[in-house]
Amino acid sequence: MSTGVRLFGDDQRIGLGGAPLGNLLGEVHDADAVATVNAAWDEGWRYFDTAPHYGLGLAEERLGVGLRGKPRDEFVLSSKVGRIIYEAEDAATDDEGFEVSSKRRRRWDFSRDGVLQSIEDSLRRIGTDRLDVVFVHDPDDHYEEAVATAFPTLIELRDQGVIGAIGSGMNQTAMLTRFVQEIDIDAIMLAGRYSLIDPDGLDDVLPACLEHDVQVVAVGIFNSGLLSQPRPAPGATFNYEPAAASLVDKANRLADVCEAHNTTLPAAALAFPLFHPAVAGIAVGCRTPEEVHTNATLARTEVPKALWSDLKSEGLLRQDAPTP
């Protein structure tokens, strides 16, 4: 690893994911968004993640209001590059999952100028003087440009001390593995690919992170909702789409074993990623203070060790998944 930036403390390995603050899959009022940030702070969470993509800059603005006045050296702040937010002439409703209607639009841009502009815009929207971590965001269809310009620009900024650590955040493992192996990055944000129901990161990216001393922030650990309730709710989603019947069935079978051990599916889902030695911590998207307090309580819940061996014996968890 190239820097000494630690994303999480030993005693608090959970942070706030910012996508819901940008009205992901439903509107959040300004006051509730700010109260959510304050609730996370009150629970002792000190890692906060956001991105220009989330609500066309709205999540960054709301996070900034919530963090205003809090000691800057006491928390870790990450945002992302790859999309530029710009003003159009007419207002429109966002078509990428965020309930936002504005003149703002987004465009892909992994160029040097785009990276520099994105960081400058994020600093302004958040109202801060620095980003501790900057991730290249979703470069699935932009590998060449990300490698040629985005990462070199971030490395230069890191070497100058402008930002603390760099990496990439994606919903897939193959390209993240290449970045870990080929580029001098410090961290990755692994979305949905190391969860209780989808631990595919074990195949490639997590071993690579261990080999190259790259920290992992595991996000999407509820897989957009399927694992967020004691039992899958009607219409539960997986990767932001209606969950297949086979996945709902597996989630219910996981819940059966959890209940037999007097614990819950979301408690196990929160605990599971943290057992892997490459995972520095997790970030959980919350849209209300109540969700923060619920997740914080679950994270403090001790999950019985016998649960993990039973999940493996039932064929519901991979044998090679690190567990107590």
Side-chain angles (χ1 to χ4, degrees):
M1 192 174 66
S2 300
T3 74
V5 174
R6 294 190 63 205
L7 304 185
F8 296 85
D10 293 332
D11 59 340
Q12 189 62 274
R13 298 173 64 197
I14 183 170
L16 182 66
L21 302 184
N23 292 357
L24 177 66
L25 302 181
E27 183 179 6
V28 176
H29 296 295
D30 288 341
D32 291 334
V34 174
T36 298
V37 177
N38 285 319
W41 184 271
D42 292 342
E43 288 288 357
W45 297 6
R46 293 296 183 267
Y47 178 88
F48 298 88
D49 177 68
T50 186
H53 174 54
Y54 302 156
L56 297 166
L58 180 62
E60 290 185 316
E61 292 168 340
R62 287 172 162 176
L63 179 62
V65 174
L67 292 175
R68 191 171 300 158
K70 294 176 172 58
R72 184 61 187 85
D73 292 339
E74 293 186 12
F75 62 90
V76 173
L77 174 63
S78 63
S79 193
K80 306 179 181 76
V81 297
R83 295 173 174 92
I84 294 292
I85 307 302
Y86 67 96
E87 293 279 336
E89 292 185 1
D90 301 314
T93 300
D94 183 59
D95 61 357
E96 294 198 26
F98 297 91
E99 197 166 306
V100 175
S101 180
S102 79
K103 292 184 178 180
R104 293 179 178 178
R105 306 284 194 277
R106 60 173 70 76
R107 69 169 185 267
W108 292 106
D109 194 335
F110 294 89
S111 69
R112 175 182 173 81
D113 287 346
V115 168
L116 295 175
Q117 180 184 339
S118 181
I119 292 174
E120 181 179 348
D121 291 346
S122 291
L123 293 174
R124 174 180 48 79
R125 283 190 291 261
I126 299 169
T128 188
D129 62 346
R130 71 182 187 276
L131 299 173
D132 300 296
V133 190
V134 177
F135 295 108
V136 177
H137 199 190
D138 296 337
D140 303 69
D141 298 322
H142 306 271
Y143 173 83
E144 290 80 7
E145 191 173 11
V147 171
T149 55
F151 282 115
T153 303
L154 292 181
I155 289 171
E156 179 184 337
L157 294 174
R158 182 189 62 193
D159 291 346
Q160 293 171 351
V162 176
I163 55 180
I166 68 166
S168 182
M170 302 183 73
N171 294 282
Q172 59 152 292
T173 65
M175 193 176 294
L176 278 178
T177 303
R178 293 189 64 180
F179 293 152
V180 170
Q181 294 172 335
E182 299 170 5
I183 300 171
D184 181 20
I185 62 175
D186 311 293
I188 64 166
M189 181 163 280
L190 181 60
R193 304 286 77 80
Y194 195 59
S195 72
L196 195 58
I197 206 165
D198 185 354
D200 287 350
L202 287 170
D203 291 330
D204 47 16
V205 71
L206 291 173
C209 287
L210 279 180
E211 179 182 354
H212 294 274
D213 196 18
V214 170
Q215 298 177 81
V216 177
V217 182
V219 300
I221 58 172
F222 295 136
N223 288 111
S224 82
L226 183 60
L227 305 180
S228 64
Q229 303 295 324
R231 290 280 174 176
T237 57
F238 177 83
N239 288 358
Y240 306 105
E241 297 180 355
S246 60
L247 290 173
V248 174
D249 177 67
K250 183 175 181 180
N252 276 304
R253 292 170 61 203
L254 288 165
D256 289 340
V257 181
C258 289
E259 290 170 6
H261 288 274
N262 296 312
T263 191
T264 65
L265 182 59
L270 278 167
F272 169 69
L274 295 172
F275 297 131
H276 197 287
V279 175
I282 58 177
V284 183
C286 302
R287 63 182 58 244
T288 65
E290 290 75 23
E291 288 187 4
V292 172
H293 296 312
T294 295
N295 286 320
T297 299
L298 289 171
R300 291 190 290 265
T301 301
E302 186 172 350
V303 177
K305 291 183 179 180
L307 167 72
W308 308 108
S309 57
D310 281 1
L311 289 177
K312 290 182 177 181
S313 65
E314 293 286 334
L316 294 171
L317 185 61
R318 286 174 50 159
Q319 295 294 323
D320 58 343
T323 55

